[in-house]
């Protein structure tokens, strides 16, 4: 009986908010594969892509979309580069303007979660610990971001944008605190591409 009483607080702590904060405290870098599916307000699939992501705090990340089209999103902590290979076009923005309360900022940013997001635990019957992170910035482009954890490892992100589209990102081959070369977070526009930005 004493064992059950002593163990109770440990089980009580298994929730999304606790997992998210532990994720921040214990994780300085990440690498993972991802599968991203976007559906519209009627549930119709409008995008289905796979790729690889790398992240290093603070504010450095790289998302390489592989199939069915190639695209790169790279942040060196100061600027964010979006390279559409098919269009031969690069868009660049200051990190602060591009990602103040976005999903990338939520994952790669500093530890000031409560300043940019309202955090609420969610209950779902899928074995994951979920937390809802609503951006406080109404101009972030997202109305809701939900993160699902298992053993404090990020498994899934669900994002609802201002148009009501749902983006579901499932992570596999998740590695916490891998060594990542700084070169992964530098971007030099290839010759011949159009560069747009501020």
């Amino acid at each position: 009986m004493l064992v059950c009483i002593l163990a109770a607080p440990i089980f009580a702590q298994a929730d999304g908010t606790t997992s998210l904060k532990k994720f921040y405290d214990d994780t300085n870098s990440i690498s993972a594969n991802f599968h991203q599916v976007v559906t519209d307000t009627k549930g119709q699939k409008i995008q289905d892509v796979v790729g690889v992501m790398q992240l290093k705090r603070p504010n450095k990340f790289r998302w390489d979309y592989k199939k069915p089209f190639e695209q790169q999103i790279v942040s060196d902590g100061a600027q964010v580069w979006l390279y559409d290979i098919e269009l031969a076009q690069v868009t660049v923005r200051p990190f602060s303007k591009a990602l103040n309360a976005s999903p990338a900022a939520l994952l790669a940013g500093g530890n000031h979660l409560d300043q940019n997001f309202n955090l609420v635990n969610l209950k779902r019957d899928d074995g994951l610990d979920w937390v809802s992170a609503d951006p406080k910035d109404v101009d972030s482009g997202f109305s809701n971001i939900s993160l699902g954890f298992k053993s404090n490892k990020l498994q899934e992100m669900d994002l609802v944008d201002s148009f009501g589209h749902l983006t579901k990102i499932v992570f596999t081959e998740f590695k916490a605190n891998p060594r990542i070369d700084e070169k992964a977070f530098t971007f030099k526009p290839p010759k011949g591409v159009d560069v747009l930005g501020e």
Side-chain angles (χ1 to χ4, degrees), residues 156-176:
E156 184 177 324
M157 289 183 74
D158 293 350
L159 322 163
V160 179
D161 66 20
S162 54
F163 299 103
H165 295 164
L166 171 64
T167 300
K168 184 182 291 288
I169 306 173
V170 176
F171 299 98
T172 56
E173 303 297 323
F174 186 97
K175 295 179 182 177

Side-chain angles (χ1 to χ4, degrees), residues 11-144:
F11 292 116
Q13 292 176 2
D15 60 53
T17 302
T18 301
S19 293
L20 178 60
K21 290 181 177 179
K22 186 169 178 56
F23 172 73
Y24 265 83
D25 291 341
D26 297 348
T27 311
N28 296 312
S29 62
I30 298 168
S31 67
N33 296 334
F34 67 87
H35 180 197
Q36 177 175 312
V37 176
V38 182
T39 52
D40 63 19
T41 54
K42 296 180 181 179
Q44 299 293 317
K45 188 185 295 185
I46 55 179
Q47 185 187 77
D48 190 338
V49 295
V50 296
V52 178
M53 65 87 78
Q54 298 176 87
L55 175 153
K56 190 173 185 180
R57 292 202 182 96
N59 302 332
K60 296 178 181 179
F61 58 84
R62 180 185 190 101
W63 293 69
D64 290 289
Y65 293 83
K66 303 292 187 181
K67 295 178 181 180
F69 59 85
E70 290 187 79
Q71 191 178 72
Q72 296 173 351
I73 304 175
V74 182
S75 169
D76 61 6
Q79 292 180 305
V80 179
W81 306 82
L82 194 158
Y83 176 31
D84 190 310
I85 296 171
E86 185 178 343
L87 296 178
Q89 180 176 293
V90 175
T91 303
V92 58
R93 282 185 169 184
F95 181 91
S96 58
K97 291 186 178 181
L99 296 151
N100 186 36
S102 73
L106 180 62
L107 293 180
N111 292 320
H112 307 296
L113 287 172
D114 297 333
Q115 291 182 12
N116 295 319
F117 300 92
N118 294 310
L119 304 178
V120 178
N121 287 324
L122 296 178
K123 293 293 183 183
R124 297 189 187 178
D125 296 326
D126 58 5
L128 301 182
D129 298 323
W130 283 93
V131 58
S132 170
D134 292 344
K136 293 182 178 180
D137 182 359
V138 295
D139 296 322
S140 70
F142 295 90
S143 60
N144 177 261

